[in-house]
Amino acid sequence: MNDYLECNYSKLMIDIEHFVKKTLQEREIWNDFRNKLNHLIYEMDYEYTPSLCYSTYIQAFLELMEECSFRGKVDEQKLDEMEYRTIQQMFARFERKAQRELDSFISSEQRNRDTLLNYLENLIGHYSRLLFIRVDLSYWKEKQSEIDIRVFRDDVQKLIGFIQDGDTCFKDIEGYAWALEQGEEKGYHCHLLLVYNGAARHKDYYYADQVLKKWEMITQKAGHGYNCNTKEHKDQFRSLGKLGVGMIHRDRPKEVKNALNVGMYLVNPEKTHQSLRVKPKHMRTFGTGTYQRSYRRYRSIEA
């Protein structure tokens, strides 16, 4: 058994989800089922926090834990005696709820997609040129055991606060958008889009790099990131005719189309496997800056 204090919180949630799904799919008890069940139950028994909101399949697992508990502690004998079929039936009661949860996620992502598209089109229509910067923010793998969903939330909120203040590397930002996800390898991570006034800012690689350094500072070096505005990255997408970061000119439809596609990556209804499995109540997973339209400067765009 691993030391509970070294538990990778994000990975634990995903492992539990996979365990529940596999148990529902297999007709007969699968290899290593009991060992995996015992491991996950004792990990979750240590990690469970009543104030957090868990996804449906995590809730199914929590109900199993409750069923096998005595005076708030997991009863090993009761757990060992529970039949595989009984556990399957318990998990199966959550399948319809899980489907509704999935449908809700897809609908929410589509609404967010529409919101972001409208937001970016307004910004592009307002300025003749804008500097688009994309970074992905995550944590070093060896540090993920120190990062639960609340730490991740707080780190992102600090970063958004810096962006809204508009100081240092965030000066001359005209718009921004962020989306929070959870992956098997990356763990908790944030996709961030920053849009600068193209008349005031030109060095896209530099500003993206400064954002990564700010994230490193906020996370006390537990975090790192990926700069999508490197020359290598841009050359790769330029060769494919899909470059949508760097300087974007309103009167160049191909650039505008590519920039909008870059933004849409943040809110993709198909990325259901990247949804958060646990979060504090009322925690947002997507957001943009505010846009105030100026009729004097606004121009229509064609993408």
Side-chain angles (χ1 to χ4, degrees):
M1 187 69 66
N2 291 340
D3 183 345
Y4 297 144
L5 294 176
E6 294 300 319
C7 172
N8 182 324
Y9 305 103
S10 174
K11 186 175 185 304
L12 174 60
M13 297 300 109
I14 293 176
D15 284 350
I16 288 175
E17 180 180 88
H18 288 342
F19 177 86
V20 173
K21 288 181 176 180
K22 183 174 177 62
T23 301
L24 285 168
Q25 292 167 358
E26 300 293 335
R27 287 190 173 186
E28 299 179 354
I29 189 169
W30 43 276
N31 292 337
D32 206 34
F33 170 82
R34 288 292 175 186
N35 288 337
K36 191 70 172 177
L37 174 60
N38 288 330
H39 173 76
L40 292 176
I41 277 194
Y42 285 106
E43 291 275 13
M44 191 59 179
D45 190 40
Y46 182 86
E47 173 59 23
Y48 174 63
T49 304
S51 61
L52 296 178
C53 301
Y54 294 89
S55 63
T56 299
Y57 282 132
I58 309 301
Q59 292 175 31
F61 194 82
L62 289 170
E63 181 168 299
L64 172 61
M65 290 175 57
E66 179 67 24
E67 187 70 22
C68 296
S69 295
F70 178 72
R71 294 181 179 177
K73 298 292 183 180
V74 175
D75 186 325
E76 294 185 26
Q77 182 176 348
K78 193 172 184 179
L79 178 61
D80 290 340
E81 291 174 351
M82 185 169 286
E83 295 182 358
Y84 181 73
R85 182 60 179 166
T86 302
I87 296 174
Q88 271 190 320
Q89 291 172 345
M90 185 179 298
F91 289 166
R93 294 202 297 267
F94 287 81
E95 286 189 288
R96 287 187 179 180
K97 184 178 179 181
Q99 184 59 51
R100 291 196 298 270
E101 180 180 72
L102 178 62
D103 293 341
S104 177
F105 172 82
I106 294 173
S107 296
S108 177
E109 284 292 278
Q110 188 59 60
R111 289 193 300 272
N112 292 340
R113 194 179 183 87
D114 294 342
T115 296
L116 181 55
L117 180 61
N118 182 65
Y119 177 65
L120 294 177
E121 285 180 338
N122 280 331
L123 284 172
I124 294 171
H126 189 82
Y127 295 91
S128 62
R129 61 185 185 276
L130 290 165
L131 194 66
F132 272 61
I133 288 174
R134 268 272 292 112
V135 294
D136 295 331
L137 307 171
S138 56
Y139 298 91
W140 294 108
K141 198 159 190 175
E142 60 269 23
K143 293 291 186 178
Q144 289 182 15
S145 61
E146 303 172 13
I147 310 299
D148 71 2
I149 189 64
R150 292 160 295 187
V151 173
F152 178 48
R153 174 201 60 189
D154 293 346
D155 286 345
V156 171
Q157 286 180 346
K158 289 175 186 175
L159 178 65
I160 299 303
F162 282 117
I163 294 173
Q164 292 173 340
D165 288 343
D167 294 332
T168 60
C169 61
F170 301 116
K171 186 179 180 182
D172 295 312
I173 277 187
E174 300 299 341
Y176 64 90
W178 51 272
L180 308 184
E181 295 181 350
Q182 179 180 3
E184 292 194 39
E185 293 298 322
K186 275 190 175 181
Y188 300 121
H189 58 277
C190 173
H191 296 296
L192 179 66
L193 173 67
L194 301 174
V195 184
Y196 289 78
N197 184 341
R201 293 287 177 260
H202 305 274
K203 300 177 181 179
D204 55 320
Y205 171 83
Y206 170 78
Y207 289 106
D209 187 60
Q210 290 300 300
V211 174
L212 298 187
K213 290 179 179 177
K214 184 72 73 173
W215 177 249
E216 182 180 276
M217 181 272 292
I218 290 171
T219 63
Q220 299 180 1
K221 297 187 177 181
H224 71 113
Y226 181 77
N227 184 340
C228 298
N229 289 71
T230 63
K231 182 180 184 301
E232 294 76 13
H233 185 91
K234 291 194 295 183
D235 285 347
Q236 177 186 356
F237 281 84
R238 184 182 289 110
S239 67
L240 298 172
K242 296 181 179 181
L243 180 62
V245 297
M247 193 66 74
I248 304 299
H249 299 80
R250 184 179 60 207
D251 60 356
R252 298 178 186 175
K254 184 65 173 179
E255 290 184 6
V256 170
K257 180 181 178 181
N258 289 341
L260 294 176
N261 287 337
V262 165
M264 293 306 98
Y265 180 81
L266 273 66
V267 279
N268 187 341
E270 297 179 2
K271 292 164 67 176
T272 56
H273 61 291
Q274 297 277 350
S275 63
L276 296 182
R277 278 74 169 183
V278 57
K279 56 186 178 180
K281 193 174 183 179
H282 304 308
M283 176 182 171
R284 297 176 61 196
T285 60
F286 165 79
T288 71
T290 56
Y291 172 76
Q292 296 179 349
R293 178 169 174 168
S294 169
Y295 287 91
R296 182 175 63 86
R297 296 181 60 183
Y298 187 80
R299 298 290 186 274
S300 62
I301 61 172
E302 295 180 3

